[in-house]
Amino acid sequence: MSFELWMVRLRLWLASRPGKAHRALGRPRRAAVATPRVGVVRVAAVQMRFRFISSASVFARAVAQLVDQAAAGGAELVVFPEDVGMMLFGILPRFERIAATGSMEEALARIGSDVSVSSIVELVGRSAERIYLSVFSRLARDYGMMIQAGSMPVMSRDGRVYNVAYLFGPHGQLMGTQVKCHLLPLEAEWGFAAGDELVVLDTPIGRLAQPICMDATYFETFRILSADGAEVVCLPVADPDPSGNPFKSLRGLWPRVQESSVYGIQSCMVGTALDLTFTGRSGIYAPLDLTPSGDGVLAQALSDDEEIVLADLDMDALRTFRKEEAIRANAAFVRNYFPSIYRGFWRGGASGATRR
Amino acid sequence: MSAAELTVVGFRLPFRHFSDPGQLKAALLGHIAEAQVAPQSLVVFPGLLAMGLLAPDLSMVPTGLAERLRQGAGDLEATYLTVGEEIARERHIYLVPGSVWLPAPIGYTHRACLFDPDGRLLGWQEQTHAYLWEAELIASAEVAVWQVGPLRVGVLLGADPWVPEVSRVLTLQGADLLLAPLAPIAPYASARAMAGLWQEVQQNQTYGLETGLTGPFFDLGVDGKLAVLAPCELTPGETGFFGEAGYVVSQKARSAVLEPADLHALRERYPLLRHLNPDLYRRHWQERGEGRP
């Protein structure tokens, strides 16, 4: 690493000291309002507008404002979108000017000839992560609520970049993380790596999981989580599909909730980042039979802008529903095909061109 | 139609009783003529349509169904095959003549067959996953894929479109087109339909055709729908439906020309299955002690 880059890193690290963000948050806030009934949990999906943020204090205030709205609505669990932490790439010196170039390729080229998204994560990641973790931890503690903090790209010790989701408990403690296991083709192009483990966490509201965006395109994710006991699945999303097509948005969490009988909380990033336009409507989903209108939707964002979506999850009703699954399992079918059906896809196996 | 494309035609029809096999054949041929089906097309009739050959006073309620089928089905299987074979050969079409419940030594099975334009039986597919209320249904543990013109085709029956493992297995075995000749018990809401074959088509990047039986079905009610489906990117308005968006509940027939080249180009452009995570799945199955490595 050049001396210049080392200095940039040092400056960023100093700027990411938790005290800066915490001072911006002021004194501790009130605790979350209690939910209306025993066995019922009020949850919030945050729909957030993407922007690059240049300081810890601005980031802290932006997140706190949304948490405050969710808390005012009585939420015990708040879920943020995918790539929330990526907003903090704005702490890179002169990033605003770089980002104004319009496209990702041009922006990277402006920084250096062989600069990739991964090298940006390497440069900014640790400092951005420090701000990100300290802000969400502090807000979870201040409000006495659980916060699923969306996700952010993180460079691991092995030098690989992963997209990681974080869950904070009501005492501000980090309850667990989840690495994204199914990459967006664009992330694969960026050199991101996929995780190989799905985690279900015991929490005060039930068994909770936090896969990320594309993980919900694959039913396998939810079959595994459901088999491991997940009841509530938080899904941070940043869908770079400029069309905002409502049919395409039905291909993610909503069907997975129907297949695997869990509650689903989808929090969408909206807005633009360089040449990427994020669309989607945050929503809170349930099995069809557990929604008053029978459409599997408990609540959904009404706009394409920042919004808090609230709904009550009846955990007792879900547990009863799951005991009465409508379709019988077929163990012989499973034995016949799983997991051998994926054999051509083992890593290091067949090439992409021959995988189908 | 060129050899590089396949016209598919599906029907949504009210259930009716047939006094003899000739009446069933005439009815199916009438629908084919009305829809102006061209030779070499693939035609799919609704599930359980041929059950109309059985005595109208037979009860179809699940309890005791296997025994009633054993006593009342007669030569249903042979008739179903004969009628299907004759129509396929006479009209030079690929044909799924709906499906049938057939008595088995224990319980009963739900089966559909596929004929080629020479009237040859390409194969049978049985339902692989049963609803809880189908207590006597013997579920198959195997699914098959057949070549139909330029596309490879798999068939889903009963609850199978709502079990994503089935469509995944068919797709990884090479299916480009998933057929679901259904007779869903009423009410069959649009939301439930969207959670079925439409989703499977999207998450596997295949074409799909759902056909449906409607109206009173012996002492039950069925409420089938109709749709020709594709990944959103391949349909007008990116809805995933050929024709207007949403499942058809007012029309009798729907057709579409399916182009394998479009599907393969999409799979190259947006290679969903290339990002499967089989190591993750393998560990899950191994830890649960299920499945076969």
Side-chain angles (χ1 to χ4, degrees):
Chain A
M1 183 187 298
S2 71
F3 178 73
E4 189 186 347
L5 279 183
W6 187 87
M7 283 300 291
V8 169
R9 249 193 184 180
L10 179 64
R11 284 215 321 264
L12 290 173
W13 185 250
L14 292 172
S16 69
R17 280 172 297 182
K20 294 205 169 198
H22 288 193
R23 274 196 295 281
L25 292 174
R27 60 188 173 78
R29 320 292 170 102
R30 64 187 177 283
V33 177
T35 46
R37 285 189 282 138
V38 175
V40 174
V41 180
R42 183 161 296 171
V43 299
V46 171
Q47 188 161 290
M48 191 174 190
R49 181 161 287 280
F50 192 94
R51 63 271 200 187
F52 287 111
I53 290 176
S54 59
S55 78
S57 55
V58 173
F59 180 77
R61 281 194 291 269
V63 173
Q65 186 190 354
L66 295 165
V67 171
D68 195 63
Q69 286 178 47
E76 288 181 71
L77 166 67
V78 184
V79 181
F80 274 80
E82 183 182 19
D83 291 336
V84 167
M86 202 186 267
M87 293 182 180
L88 282 164
F89 284 10
I91 62 175
L92 190 67
R94 298 190 301 279
F95 194 81
E96 210 168 294
R97 237 173 45 204
I98 295 165
T101 53
S103 80
M104 180 72 76
E105 286 77 17
E106 286 171 47
L108 295 173
R110 272 197 162 205
I111 298 170
S113 57
D114 56 350
V115 173
S116 64
V117 175
S118 295
S119 45
I120 298 290
V121 175
E122 184 180 12
L123 186 63
V124 184
R126 291 270 173 238
S127 302
E129 191 183 3
R130 184 153 79 150
I131 297 168
Y132 170 85
L133 296 179
S134 73
V135 166
F136 278 108
S137 168
R138 162 75 187 269
L139 288 169
R141 191 182 66 223
D142 283 0
Y143 285 91
M145 60 165 53
M146 291 171 56
I147 301 182
Q148 197 297 317
S151 76
M152 73 170 298
V154 172
M155 182 163 279
S156 70
R157 286 200 175 87
D158 63 7
R160 291 172 155 205
V161 176
Y162 297 97
N163 193 341
V164 184
Y166 298 82
L167 179 72
F168 293 93
H171 304 295
Q173 77 278 25
L174 181 61
M175 298 184 77
T177 61
Q178 173 66 61
V179 175
K180 189 175 187 175
C181 291
H182 301 84
L183 296 179
L184 198 67
L186 184 65
E187 291 173 308
E189 287 170 26
W190 289 346
F192 284 23
D196 58 5
E197 187 183 11
L198 286 164
V199 182
V200 178
L201 301 164
D202 274 315
T203 78
I205 65 163
R207 287 180 62 77
L208 190 144
Q210 46 176 347
I212 303 171
C213 197
M214 278 298 276
D215 286 331
T217 297
Y218 301 84
F219 80 84
E220 288 88 348
T221 303
F222 281 63
R223 277 295 201 253
I224 294 171
L225 291 173
S226 180
D228 288 347
E231 297 169 314
V232 178
V233 180
C234 308
L235 189 78
V237 168
D239 182 7
D241 173 17
S243 73
N245 179 310
F247 284 91
K248 285 162 94 173
S249 68
L250 272 180
R251 304 196 286 196
L253 183 59
W254 183 84
R256 302 294 89 79
V257 163
Q258 308 314 322
E259 290 159 356
S260 293
S261 301
V262 293
Y263 285 124
I265 308 166
Q266 170 174 292
S267 293
C268 294
M269 188 66 80
V270 294
T272 57
L274 297 164
D275 53 350
L276 298 179
T277 299
F278 300 115
T279 60
R281 292 274 170 99
S282 297
I284 300 168
Y285 306 123
L288 300 178
D289 293 338
L290 296 184
T291 52
S293 50
D295 62 359
V297 180
L298 289 171
Q300 197 156 32
L302 301 172
S303 74
D304 297 322
D305 213 329
E306 289 202 334
E307 192 173 331
I308 306 291
V309 181
L310 292 158
D312 291 341
L313 308 184
D314 187 334
M315 303 304 293
D316 293 339
L318 179 75
R319 287 164 192 152
T320 303
F321 179 77
R322 285 167 67 131
K323 284 183 193 149
E324 301 161 355
E325 289 287 3
I327 300 174
R328 283 204 312 259
N330 184 339
F333 182 86
V334 168
R335 274 196 305 278
N336 267 354
Y337 294 111
F338 292 93
S340 54
I341 192 70
Y342 301 106
R343 186 168 285 142
F345 294 79
W346 299 149
R347 280 183 195 153
S351 72
T354 58
R355 278 171 163 180
R356 280 199 90 85
Chain B
M1 188 182 73
S2 79
E5 60 190 33
L6 177 71
T7 298
V8 295
V9 183
F11 291 95
R12 177 179 182 271
L13 298 171
F15 176 71
R16 56 167 286 200
H17 294 282
F18 304 102
S19 56
D20 57 59
Q23 201 180 40
L24 169 64
K25 182 180 172 184
L28 299 190
L29 283 171
H31 294 307
I32 289 170
E34 199 179 333
Q36 300 182 321
V37 175
Q40 303 300 318
S41 299
L42 167 62
V43 173
V44 181
F45 282 100
L48 302 181
L49 185 68
M51 299 296 285
L53 287 164
L54 303 189
D57 58 352
L58 205 61
S59 171
M60 290 292 156
V61 296
T63 308
L65 179 59
E67 183 54 33
R68 289 197 300 280
L69 287 173
R70 260 189 293 280
Q71 290 177 7
D75 53 0
L76 177 63
E77 179 175 356
T79 307
Y80 169 78
L81 284 170
T82 303
V83 168
E85 181 238 311
E86 288 178 5
I87 293 174
R89 183 163 34 83
E90 289 170 22
R91 300 308 305 257
H92 306 293
I93 55 174
Y94 292 95
L95 177 67
V96 177
S99 63
V100 280
W101 283 336
L102 294 172
I106 302 169
Y108 67 96
T109 61
H110 183 191
R111 310 176 82 186
C113 62
L114 173 62
F115 293 96
D116 77 4
D118 295 323
R120 280 189 299 252
L121 179 66
L122 292 178
W124 286 95
Q125 180 60 62
E126 291 186 12
Q127 184 174 336
T128 63
H129 290 76
Y131 287 108
L132 278 192
W133 52 264
E134 296 176 313
E136 298 174 1
L137 185 123
I138 306 301
S140 168
E142 291 178 8
V143 287
V145 173
W146 298 282
Q147 191 72 43
V148 171
L151 293 172
R152 288 174 65 76
V153 169
V155 178
L156 303 156
L157 296 172
D160 291 346
W162 289 269
V163 181
E165 285 84 351
V166 183
S167 296
R168 184 69 99 218
V169 168
L170 286 168
T171 307
L172 293 181
Q173 287 183 339
D176 307 300
L177 168 60
L178 303 175
L179 306 177
L182 301 182
I185 297 294
Y188 177 42
S190 290
R192 198 167 297 283
M194 289 294 288
L197 188 65
W198 189 90
Q199 288 299 334
E200 300 313 318
V201 162
Q202 302 308 320
Q203 70 171 317
N204 290 292
Q205 294 181 312
T206 65
Y207 289 119
L209 172 59
E210 177 171 334
T211 62
L213 194 67
T214 68
F217 173 71
F218 296 90
D219 46 357
L220 302 176
V222 290
D223 185 23
K225 299 185 192 300
L226 174 62
V228 186
L229 306 165
C232 287
E233 293 81 357
L234 299 185
T235 55
E238 299 197 315
T239 63
F241 292 93
F242 283 101
E244 72 266 25
Y247 276 84
V248 175
V249 291
S250 58
Q251 279 176 293
K252 204 163 93 173
R254 173 149 289 187
S255 68
V257 177
L258 308 183
E259 310 224 10
D262 291 350
L263 193 64
H264 298 150
L266 173 71
R267 289 167 173 176
E268 279 303 308
R269 200 165 67 241
Y270 200 80
L272 271 186
L273 296 189
R274 210 170 286 169
H275 294 284
L276 286 165
N277 195 333
D279 294 327
L280 170 71
Y281 317 148
R282 179 167 52 180
R283 205 171 52 249
H284 163 75
W285 293 113
Q286 285 171 350
E287 282 170 4
R288 291 181 69 79
E290 299 170 0
R292 182 178 292 166

